[in-house]
Amino acid sequence: MSEKDHPLFSDISSDIFAFSFDGLSSPLIDLKFRTGPQKGDHTLGWGLAWYPADNKAAMVAKDPAAKDTVSLKGAMSDWEGFRSTVFFCKVRGAATGYTHLETQPFTRSFAGQDWVFMHNGNLDKEAIKGLHHNKSIFLEPLGRTDSELALVFLLGKIEDYGARTLAAIDHSVLLSWFLQLDDLGSADMAISDGVTVAVFYGSKSQSSLYYSRIKPPHATEGFQSDAASFALNNPRDTFRTAVVFASSPFASGNWTPMQGGQLIIARRGAVIWTNKKEAPSKLPVPPQQPDRPSALSSPILQGGPLEKITERNALFASVQAQSQQASIVAKLASMSHVQSNVINARSVTHAPDGSPLTYRLYDVVHSTEYTYEKAVEHSTHTFRLLPVEDQLQEVIHSTLTISAEGEDVRFEDVFGNQNIHYSIIKPYKQLTVSCRSLVKIFGQAPDDYGPAQRQARFPISWMPWQLQVMEPYLLLLEMPETQIAELLVYARAFSERNAGHVMDTLNDINLTIYRDYQYVPGSTSFSTTPFDVYANRKGVCQDFANLFITLARLLGIPARYRMGYIFTGANYENKIQSDASHAWAEVYIPYIGWRGFDPTNGCLVSQDHVRVACGRNYLDATPTSGTIYRGGGKEELRVQVTMNEVYL
């Protein structure tokens, strides 16, 4: 039953609103139920649809029997899920008997995403059924309205056309479908696939339809009309632009009436196509009111540094006390609207879910022994053996012992690695280099990928200066173009099967290399390329790290090589690399930082890994390297690494 077929339709008003933003927004929308003399038992209804965080699944909130807008405001409360680039809203009077099935907007899953649809008017239901030639069981209406019949007709046309999105449909073809419905009655319609918004104004419409492009700066008082009001007063929406469609013009802004038979297609806050030239608006345009200055000012409390405490129990007592103090401060902050954050990661004792975060202590010994057939008279060496010192890794002490007398120069290289350049000045036939380190690895809460700036999906956008800094970690090793093209297809397959989700894609690459590639010592050399590893499906940790780095860079993610150690006392199926240095990959995630992936063991880098040196590739991060200028002859090399966990 259509709205006009209902016996009480003459007393029912109906308004539709559609928004297309250029970025995620959370407009404050309020609907005004029109009042007047009514016959019979009337209720008031509304419906709201949006795509949280631009996901393909739409969120729909409806109340077919509302008496006021209290439930609507509750649905749009300021929570993270109410952020989208597309919003559809409809308010209308409803008679007793209307349910959610008859309340708009309608939504239907089709071609891998939810489609949202609104209609204001009255169409010949039997005639629509005659047009609806696609009899797919997935395109059967659930309710009893002509509006839903119009939706399944359009989806049937899209399926017959072979398209999966509105962007894939020729604009004129899409218009022809709307015109077919326009011949059957009044047809003010709006449809969206979550990215594109298409709005059609029927030539026989009994109401009006306007549109406007809202640009910053936004007036704090927002926009008011007889049917609704909306405002962009969320600080995150300061620079948002939107194309807005409404059944009635608002008191401020430039609102253009749509012409009969006009189709407007909008995407990301801009009109990209219309079949009719814009008619000059005859509506009065009041001057915009200046924005009021923001009165928000929230100081951030920062705690002072902890005194260095050598006794472990005393340290934990201090940490627990500080944690309790921070909890009290947080409670006070929540009461006074002051935000407090613990910024020293080592002092955080619990993850957000309440699980404890403790450190682990390792004793690592890395010993390298060179033996030569003839005495070496002159050689120079570079040692990168000192573990990283940062918020999550603390070096209690580290000593380097070199068996031959020489001169050393200590420096930090461009990658932040601590280097010792060593020049040996006396002949030797055997050289032993041994580094012993006692290292703490602190626990870290799982990363939160919720904030939009962290860009959970491809493609990842970079600022120009970020690209400059990250350029060394985005350039590929030189290989034939055909090999790179093949690896690109391989990399894209991970992204496509994970729907472009960044972390899911990276985890998939990590686990696939672990599962599909064989660890074979001696099967590769320093000249082995990532394509060789891909083609042969075997290698060692260095090769797997290089392949992971290449695939990440092909997807536009900066990646670097990391050398360190792994504690294999953990319950890994693949307990390897316990007697030598280990290698893995690190990628940079916007507003997260560098995160490690260990494809050799199919795991994320955690408290089992001790980080030492990093760089673009192995050469930048090799633990020991050198050049013999005179003497030496045949060389024998023996490397041994022992890593034990220390319990206090």
Side-chain angles (χ1 to χ4, degrees):
M1 181 181 297
S2 69
E3 292 171 337
K4 282 191 175 180
D5 288 335
H6 200 283
L8 300 177
F9 177 81
S10 58
D11 300 301
I12 297 174
S13 60
S14 186
D15 296 280
I16 61 175
F17 307 94
F19 298 78
S20 172
F21 286 94
D22 63 346
L24 290 175
S25 303
S26 51
L28 180 62
I29 304 171
D30 194 8
L31 303 177
K32 302 177 183 178
F33 291 127
R34 296 178 179 176
T35 59
Q38 297 180 350
K39 300 176 183 179
D41 182 17
H42 279 73
T43 60
L44 297 172
W46 58 265
L48 178 67
W50 69 99
Y51 294 80
D54 262 3
N55 291 323
K56 293 184 178 181
M59 179 76 74
V60 181
K62 299 180 181 182
D63 190 344
K67 296 292 186 181
D68 51 38
T69 60
V70 174
S71 55
L72 170 65
K73 292 178 180 177
M76 296 189 305
S77 57
D78 189 20
W79 57 295
E80 189 61 31
F82 191 72
R83 289 189 67 74
S84 175
T85 58
V86 174
F87 292 87
F88 273 30
C89 188
K90 182 168 184 180
V91 57
R92 58 162 175 76
T96 302
Y98 269 92
T99 68
H100 281 70
L101 295 180
E102 285 81 31
T103 304
Q104 300 186 43
F106 295 127
T107 182
R108 180 64 65 98
S109 295
F110 174 77
Q113 62 254 336
D114 283 348
W115 296 65
V116 177
F117 178 81
M118 290 187 300
H119 169 226
N120 191 12
N122 182 43
L123 297 172
D124 187 331
K125 293 175 64 174
E126 295 303 318
I128 298 178
K129 293 177 182 178
L131 289 176
H132 184 43
H133 296 295
N134 190 316
K135 301 301 181 182
S136 169
I137 60 175
F138 301 104
L139 296 176
E140 294 179 359
L142 300 174
R144 48 183 173 153
T145 65
D146 54 344
S147 302
E148 192 178 12
L149 279 173
L151 168 60
V152 296
F153 163 76
L154 290 173
L155 293 180
K157 285 292 187 182
I158 294 171
E159 184 180 47
D160 294 340
Y161 188 85
R164 303 183 64 85
T165 63
L166 287 173
I169 304 170
D170 182 88
H171 301 149
S172 298
V173 172
L174 183 60
L175 173 63
S176 70
W177 299 340
F178 280 107
L179 290 175
Q180 285 182 313
L181 294 171
D182 188 50
D183 291 336
L184 307 181
S186 52
D188 298 354
M189 299 179 182
I191 189 171
S192 177
D193 57 4
V195 178
T196 304
V197 174
V199 178
F200 178 80
Y201 179 61
S203 60
K204 304 172 186 177
S205 177
Q206 302 299 311
S207 60
S208 301
L209 198 57
Y210 303 84
Y211 69 99
S212 179
R213 190 163 187 264
I214 309 300
K215 298 178 292 185
H218 304 298
T220 54
E221 63 269 23
F223 298 84
Q224 302 285 336
S225 77
D226 295 334
S229 67
F230 73 91
L232 298 176
N233 52 15
N234 189 312
R236 292 179 291 183
D237 301 338
T238 301
F239 303 106
R240 293 279 67 83
T241 299
V243 176
V244 184
F245 301 88
S247 297
S248 57
F250 290 80
S252 58
N254 295 308
W255 293 88
T256 303
M258 291 185 66
Q259 305 170 56
Q262 183 177 13
L263 173 64
I264 296 180
I265 299 177
R267 186 180 301 134
R268 291 295 190 261
V271 174
I272 63 170
W273 186 85
T274 182
N275 61 315
K276 297 195 176 184
K277 293 182 179 180
E278 181 174 305
S281 175
K282 299 181 180 179
L283 300 171
V285 182
Q288 292 275 7
Q289 297 297 318
D291 288 340
R292 297 174 185 171
S294 174
L296 297 177
S297 178
S298 300
I300 298 178
L301 301 181
Q302 298 180 354
L306 290 172
E307 292 184 0
K308 186 173 182 180
I309 303 175
T310 56
E311 294 295 327
R312 185 171 184 265
N313 292 338
L315 173 62
F316 269 98
S318 172
V319 168
Q320 292 292 346
Q322 189 180 39
S323 178
Q324 293 175 358
Q325 222 173 16
S327 178
I328 296 172
V329 171
K331 290 180 180 179
L332 293 174
S334 65
M335 295 171 62
S336 59
H337 304 289
V338 176
Q339 184 175 347
S340 176
N341 292 293
V342 177
I343 59 175
N344 179 6
R346 295 181 185 178
S347 67
V348 178
T349 60
H350 289 83
D353 63 0
S355 57
L357 298 175
T358 59
Y359 68 75
R360 296 173 68 180
L361 185 62
Y362 295 107
D363 181 18
V364 184
V365 179
H366 184 148
S367 180
T368 305
E369 184 180 282
Y370 301 89
T371 304
Y372 298 93
E373 183 181 23
K374 300 178 182 179
V376 177
E377 298 181 28
H378 180 211
S379 65
T380 59
H381 306 262
T382 299
F383 304 121
R384 304 180 187 90
L385 294 165
L386 179 66
V388 171
E389 176 85 26
D390 58 22
Q391 284 204 88
L392 297 175
Q393 184 167 291
E394 178 184 356
V395 181
I396 306 301
H397 68 76
S398 185
T399 58
L400 179 66
T401 303
I402 304 173
S403 62
E405 184 179 352
E407 298 174 346
D408 66 86
V409 176
R410 297 170 180 264
F411 66 97
E412 180 180 289
D413 64 23
V414 294
F415 304 106
N417 305 316
Q418 299 302 315
N419 288 245
I420 293 180
H421 181 78
Y422 199 75
S423 180
I424 298 178
I425 56 179
K426 291 186 177 180
Y428 64 91
K429 295 187 70 176
Q430 185 180 57
L431 175 65
T432 300
V433 180
S434 181
C435 181
R436 182 168 189 173
S437 303
L438 190 62
V439 185
K440 276 184 182 180
I441 310 295
F442 291 85
Q444 182 181 20
D447 293 321
D448 175 15
Y449 295 96
Q453 284 180 308
R454 289 177 174 171
Q455 302 185 54
R457 297 186 178 278
F458 292 110
I460 293 180
S461 301
W462 301 98
M463 296 294 105
W465 52 90
Q466 291 175 320
L467 285 175
Q468 282 186 311
V469 173
M470 291 297 175
E471 185 178 8
Y473 306 114
L474 287 168
L475 290 177
L476 298 175
L477 174 71
E478 289 221 14
M479 292 179 284
E481 183 178 347
T482 52
Q483 295 182 4
I484 294 177
E486 177 63 28
L487 288 172
L488 178 59
V489 172
Y490 187 52
R492 284 177 174 171
F494 289 101
S495 175
E496 290 169 0
R497 73 185 186 210
N498 289 283
H501 191 281
V502 172
M503 295 309 299
D504 288 350
T505 299
L506 294 174
N507 286 326
D508 193 0
I509 295 173
N510 202 41
L511 287 172
T512 298
I513 294 176
Y514 165 65
R515 292 168 180 166
D516 294 353
Y517 291 71
Q518 187 179 6
Y519 185 88
V520 182
S523 61
T524 58
S525 65
F526 292 139
S527 62
T528 299
T529 68
F531 184 82
D532 296 332
V533 180
Y534 166 74
N536 298 320
R537 301 296 165 114
K538 60 183 179 181
V540 294
C541 61
Q542 171 186 321
D543 304 305
F544 300 153
N546 285 332
L547 177 58
F548 186 104
I549 288 168
T550 299
L551 296 177
R553 290 178 180 176
L554 283 168
L555 293 173
I557 302 178
R560 67 186 182 188
Y561 184 96
R562 171 66 72 179
M563 186 279 291
Y565 313 106
I566 183 172
F567 178 62
T568 55
N571 189 24
Y572 288 128
E573 295 181 17
N574 192 4
K575 294 184 178 182
I576 55 180
Q577 292 301 126
S578 58
D579 59 350
S581 59
H582 190 39
W584 58 88
E586 291 180 341
V587 300
Y588 186 83
I589 308 297
Y591 293 92
I592 287 285
W594 291 101
R595 292 294 181 266
F597 290 79
D598 184 352
T600 303
N601 291 293
C603 64
L604 298 177
V605 171
S606 62
Q607 289 182 277
D608 295 315
H609 296 73
V610 172
R611 291 170 289 123
V612 183
C614 69
R616 298 163 300 172
N617 48 49
Y618 173 81
L619 293 176
D620 296 332
T622 182
T624 61
S625 61
T627 300
I628 297 175
Y629 293 96
R630 184 180 301 173
K634 183 180 179 180
E635 177 190 81
E636 291 185 5
L637 172 66
R638 188 173 71 89
V639 179
Q640 183 175 359
V641 172
T642 60
M643 183 174 177
N644 297 304
E645 188 167 8
V646 179
Y647 300 94
L648 297 180

